[in-house]
Amino acid sequence: MVNYPMLDFIFNPDSIAVVGASAEEKKVGNAVLKNLINGYSGKIYPVNPSRTQILSLPCYPSVSAIPDKVDLAIIVIPAKAVAETLKDCARAGVKGVVVITAGFKEVGGDGVAREKEIVEIVRSSGMKMVGPNCLGVMNTKNKMNATFAAQLPPAGRVAFFSQSGALGVAIIDWALENNFGFSKFVSFGNKADLNETDFLEYFASDPETDVILGYIEDVVDGKRFLEVAKEVTKIKPVVLIKSGATEAGARAASSHTGALAGSDRAFTEAFRKTGIIRASGIQELFDTAEMFISRKIPKGRRLLIITNAGGPGIIAADTADSLKIKLDPMTRASIDAIAEKLPPTASLYNPVDIIGDATSERYKVVLEQATKDEAVEGICVILTPQAMTDVDQVADVVVDSARDTEKPVFAAFIGGQRVKNAVNKLKQSKIPCFSDPTVAINAYGKLIEFAELKKKKISSEIQIEVPREHIEKAKEIIQTLKSQGISEIGGEEAMQILSLYGFSFPERALAKTPMEAVAIAERIGYPVVMKVSSPHILHKTDVGGVKLNLNNERAVYNAFVEITTNVKRVMPEAYIEGVMIYEMVSGGKEVILGVSYDRTFGHMIMFGLGGIYVEVLKDVSFRIVPVTEEEAFDMINEIKASRILDGVRGEKPYDKNDIASCIKKLSRLVMDFPMIKEIDINPYMVFNNGGIGLDARIII
């Protein structure tokens, strides 16, 4: 992890220069300067060669002309002039720059070259740059608004970073309307230098930040992001929105695995691997952050719901059930204790319904018992403002109860004007409060998710042992094929490579004539499978190059003639080596194993059941390499059809240990040979004991 002060000059500078400061209203240089003057207490230096004074401050022709040291420069001048200004900043010993100016990579053409030039200047000088094409940075503690947004949001303990400046402006406006507090805010635009990973690292060490939120569209360095995020989430919760979830414009893929994988799937797996919580939209992002602000983490999934209205209680219970949150009742002793003090019409189990005429006294009875009950691991307090409800006093009771327990306590106060003051009381005491029980329970589900991710100790990668001579042999096969211009490896060569990493395949041999095919079939034993062998044909079925379940000499002879005739007709240019004869394997359960390559995070392993489950239902799971044993079993159990592998209707269970071993073998293979882009072992036949691959393809 990077030391905390490393980027502190961006959020806590002693002095700021505004390059492109302007006296003209409606200019960005005017808005930024005015924002700084209206809050920031450090030294402010307007820079504009055309002026000697702006907004009563002395103005300088360049940063190097400023007589004092400058920590941070905010740049709002035309794109073509930015490079020279950065050189001037470097000469003046400026530590950090925020380039708000647009007109770089995002516009294409000359903008790409301009961006490359400014990155070279910044990196060669040792400066750090936010942007270009960004909104800027904020720190509510020192009241620094180095952006062109109209106002600072309220102070709080949530840091937010955004790839989109426009979204950043909207979120700041939302925070002002909803009184949601931020510690720091940064919009990094094109992130040509500093990026999401740098700010994750910084906020993890920031003593003024408890929760980290962000909006990203992509990640610059996937491997570094994974390493850093894994460490950050051990310290603080990280909740991110990742846009671009659809696969519109998805790349063409040559294999099942490649077709089923996608960049959004890779981000989902990256977040899972690192412990990042993913939010689907802005509202969910802040609802989740609200739940994390109390910094109380549940020990388990058992939640008690207390309500004065049946309907909202049922809505909350339904939502909890859909998230597999347990609504166990309190212990018998607790139920007996509250039964004495509640009306006979109250429901004592879970939800605990204290009836519509409940006052704060009834809430207090249940809360006092719930906070000390060992069967309760979290408490949701629901209130509707009925005529006799002393709403503010209920809020006081909730605040007092929450203060006395380490269990998360949160509320859903449903209503408008009558609950407004009580809601403010709760929020001021860092008790999460929502207006909708469904939203409240969903946000609590994210808190449980974080608690479970923190508890989960991913075992260190136990490498599959592969003899050195096997690795060298695989290397030789791959290099030979590459030298021949072959990038799609099918059939025998793919099986050879995979066999060297411990995969089993059926007995097989290549026949070059019909009579040779018959002789091989007699030796292997009927029934047999026959497939064309050609370096130019990857999808053999599509060209009539596969025949199954051949039971006698005549069938094999005819199949050889038919396969070679079909292929010559459909692909006359293809070189046919012959026809492979395979032992026919049956009696197991078909699964698919594969590898795809994501441009951000690298290789991903895929697992799913074969046949309709992968073709139609796309019931598959993925993990980013390296895949540990624990992750391998999670992959197997995650798919919807996994129970089929446990054996149904009297079947014996299939060998999940063998599948997990195969997943780890694939993980090791692509770590040894990163040039592999995709692998398909489809189908892989798993039995009650062990398994065997029936076909394989590798793309390099």
Side-chain angles (χ1 to χ4, degrees):
M1 298 289 288
V2 168
N3 291 331
Y4 168 72
M6 196 160 193
L7 296 182
D8 210 37
F9 49 78
I10 287 172
F11 293 98
N12 287 296
D14 291 329
S15 53
I16 301 175
V18 181
V19 184
S22 175
E24 291 180 46
E25 294 280 346
K26 297 189 178 176
K27 281 210 166 182
V28 175
N30 177 269
V32 172
L33 185 60
K34 208 178 278 182
N35 282 342
L36 288 169
I37 291 168
N38 289 340
Y40 173 69
S41 57
K43 295 171 185 171
I44 303 168
Y45 301 105
V47 175
N48 186 328
S50 305
R51 302 293 298 262
T52 56
Q53 191 182 70
I54 300 177
L55 299 179
S56 303
L57 290 173
C59 189
Y60 297 88
S62 65
V63 175
S64 56
I66 297 168
D68 299 319
K69 179 174 70 74
V70 173
D71 286 339
L72 183 68
I74 314 296
I75 298 174
V76 281
I77 56 175
K80 287 178 182 176
V82 170
E84 286 307 314
T85 295
L86 288 174
K87 289 174 187 174
D88 183 57
C89 288
R91 284 192 294 271
V94 172
K95 295 175 184 174
V97 291
V98 178
V99 181
I100 290 175
T101 306
F104 291 90
K105 183 175 67 181
E106 80 282 0
V107 299
D110 293 344
V112 177
R114 275 197 293 271
E115 185 161 314
K116 190 178 177 187
E117 183 186 10
I118 66 169
V119 170
E120 285 170 2
I121 294 166
V122 165
R123 292 191 175 161
S124 64
S125 68
M127 291 189 295
K128 295 291 181 185
M129 176 174 70
V130 179
N133 181 34
C134 71
L135 177 63
V137 297
M138 294 177 168
N139 181 351
T140 57
K141 186 166 186 184
N142 63 9
K143 295 184 169 47
M144 182 188 81
N145 181 2
T147 76
F148 53 91
Q151 284 178 268
L152 269 175
R157 299 193 60 82
V158 176
F160 185 84
F161 60 76
S162 176
Q163 196 164 337
S164 163
L167 181 69
V169 172
I171 281 169
I172 290 162
D173 196 49
W174 180 93
L176 287 158
E177 174 67 23
N178 290 273
N179 196 30
F180 188 95
F182 285 117
S183 55
K184 294 177 175 72
F185 169 89
V186 56
S187 144
F188 43 67
N190 292 8
K191 53 184 181 179
D193 182 36
L194 294 173
N195 58 47
E196 57 286 319
T197 309
D198 298 305
F199 291 108
L200 267 181
E201 214 166 22
Y202 174 80
F203 292 138
S205 305
D206 178 15
E208 291 155 17
T209 295
D210 293 333
V211 182
I212 303 168
L213 306 184
Y215 165 82
I216 57 172
E217 292 161 10
D218 59 9
V219 162
V220 172
D221 179 344
K223 295 292 184 189
R224 180 172 169 249
F225 178 86
L226 291 172
E227 288 167 12
V228 170
K230 205 179 285 183
E231 295 305 312
V232 173
T233 55
K234 290 175 186 172
I235 304 165
K236 294 174 185 178
V238 178
V239 189
L240 299 184
I241 299 175
K242 160 65 177 73
S243 65
T246 61
E247 286 306 311
R251 62 184 172 79
S254 307
S255 68
H256 270 300
T257 312
L260 289 164
S263 63
D264 191 62
R265 174 82 78 158
F267 271 92
T268 298
E269 295 312 321
F271 289 178
R272 186 209 304 266
K273 198 171 185 79
T274 56
I276 290 171
I277 305 297
R278 185 169 187 174
S280 58
I282 295 167
Q283 191 62 54
E284 187 179 325
L285 184 77
F286 288 104
D287 290 336
T288 304
E290 174 95 10
M291 185 60 77
F292 279 96
I293 283 171
S294 72
R295 300 177 73 181
K296 292 180 180 178
I297 305 296
K299 288 182 178 174
R301 289 188 155 260
R302 296 182 294 181
L303 174 70
L304 185 76
I305 298 169
I306 306 167
T307 181
N308 70 342
I314 293 166
I315 290 169
D318 284 346
T319 308
D321 189 59
S322 72
L323 296 172
K324 296 185 170 56
I325 295 171
K326 295 178 182 175
L327 298 182
D328 295 351
M330 289 193 283
T331 58
R332 172 49 60 187
S334 291
I335 291 169
D336 291 345
I338 65 171
E340 294 173 7
K341 299 172 185 175
L342 295 179
T345 48
S347 174
L348 304 177
Y349 294 92
N350 197 0
V352 177
D353 188 346
I354 54 176
I355 313 302
D357 63 351
T359 62
S360 54
E361 277 305 310
R362 279 190 210 161
Y363 277 99
K364 187 177 180 181
V365 164
V366 184
L367 277 163
E368 281 184 348
Q369 201 63 44
T371 53
K372 59 190 180 188
D373 191 304
E374 62 192 29
V376 176
E377 291 164 331
I379 302 166
C380 174
V381 181
I382 298 174
L383 175 144
T384 59
Q386 299 176 46
M388 62 294 296
T389 312
D390 49 344
V391 180
D392 283 14
Q393 285 72 31
V394 173
D396 291 334
V397 167
V398 174
V399 169
D400 291 342
S401 299
R403 195 182 294 127
D404 297 336
T405 181
E406 286 306 304
K407 299 172 186 178
V409 178
F410 62 101
F413 277 31
I414 307 163
Q417 199 58 44
R418 280 201 61 205
V419 301
K420 193 173 183 180
N421 189 56
V423 168
N424 287 336
K425 270 188 182 183
L426 292 169
K427 291 194 173 187
Q428 281 165 11
S429 297
K430 292 189 176 177
I431 293 168
C433 187
F434 305 86
S435 58
D436 179 337
T438 300
V439 172
I441 301 295
N442 273 317
Y444 186 68
K446 297 285 188 188
L447 189 67
I448 290 174
E449 186 183 330
F450 175 73
E452 290 177 345
L453 284 166
K454 272 194 77 128
K455 250 189 274 183
K456 197 171 191 180
K457 290 178 181 171
I458 296 288
S459 57
S460 58
E461 175 68 5
I462 304 165
Q463 290 285 1
I464 292 286
E465 289 301 321
V466 180
R468 169 50 55 188
E469 60 269 25
H470 286 202
I471 298 171
E472 290 302 321
K473 180 63 178 170
K475 185 178 180 181
E476 185 186 315
I477 295 168
I478 290 170
Q479 284 180 342
T480 301
L481 292 164
K482 277 186 79 175
S483 68
Q484 295 169 1
I486 296 169
S487 60
E488 297 186 348
I489 307 170
E492 185 59 25
E493 287 93 349
M495 290 183 191
Q496 279 180 20
I497 293 164
L498 290 160
S499 296
L500 291 165
Y501 276 75
F503 283 89
S504 298
F505 290 94
E507 188 178 346
R508 61 201 183 275
L510 179 67
K512 293 185 180 281
T513 67
M515 288 308 297
E516 199 176 347
V518 170
I520 293 167
E522 296 279 348
R523 177 168 57 77
I524 289 175
Y526 295 108
V528 295
V529 174
M530 295 174 65
K531 298 180 183 180
V532 67
S533 177
S534 168
H536 303 122
I537 300 169
L538 205 60
H539 301 280
K540 300 176 183 71
T541 307
D542 296 350
V543 295
V546 178
K547 295 289 178 183
L548 306 174
N549 205 23
L550 303 165
N551 283 301
N552 54 56
E553 179 182 333
R554 177 183 286 273
V556 169
Y557 190 101
N558 291 342
F560 187 99
V561 174
E562 197 174 331
I563 285 171
T564 51
T565 304
N566 286 344
V567 173
K568 282 173 183 169
R569 188 181 69 249
V570 178
M571 291 184 70
E573 302 302 317
Y575 168 65
I576 301 173
E577 294 171 331
V579 176
M580 291 296 296
I581 318 298
Y582 297 88
E583 166 194 0
M584 181 89 179
V585 177
S586 60
K589 191 65 68 181
E590 285 189 9
V591 302
I592 180 172
L593 293 157
V595 173
S596 65
Y597 185 81
D598 179 76
R599 63 178 185 168
T600 303
F601 299 109
H603 291 98
M604 295 196 297
I605 310 294
M606 186 199 80
F607 166 74
L609 258 63
I612 187 173
Y613 298 102
V614 68
E615 294 282 358
V616 179
L617 303 179
K618 295 179 171 51
D619 184 18
V620 291
S621 60
F622 285 84
R623 288 297 184 279
I624 293 169
V625 168
V627 180
T628 65
E629 182 138 339
E630 186 176 3
E631 288 176 311
F633 279 104
D634 284 346
M635 286 178 74
I636 297 164
N637 296 322
E638 186 179 299
I639 64 167
K640 297 181 185 72
S642 67
R643 288 181 62 193
I644 291 171
L645 295 171
D646 295 326
V648 292
R649 297 190 176 178
E651 286 183 342
K652 287 182 181 177
Y654 295 91
D655 193 345
K656 288 185 178 180
N657 288 320
D658 178 66
I659 299 170
S661 176
C662 289
I663 289 168
K664 290 183 67 187
K665 288 170 187 172
L666 285 176
S667 179
R668 172 67 195 268
L669 174 58
V670 295
M671 287 171 75
D672 287 346
F673 295 98
M675 76 284 288
I676 291 174
K677 184 184 171 191
E678 293 176 15
I679 299 176
D680 259 4
I681 306 174
N682 181 27
Y684 181 86
M685 195 73 80
V686 61
F687 303 105
N688 309 125
N689 184 16
I692 190 166
L694 301 189
D695 200 2
R697 298 200 297 271
I698 298 175
I699 298 166
I700 53 175

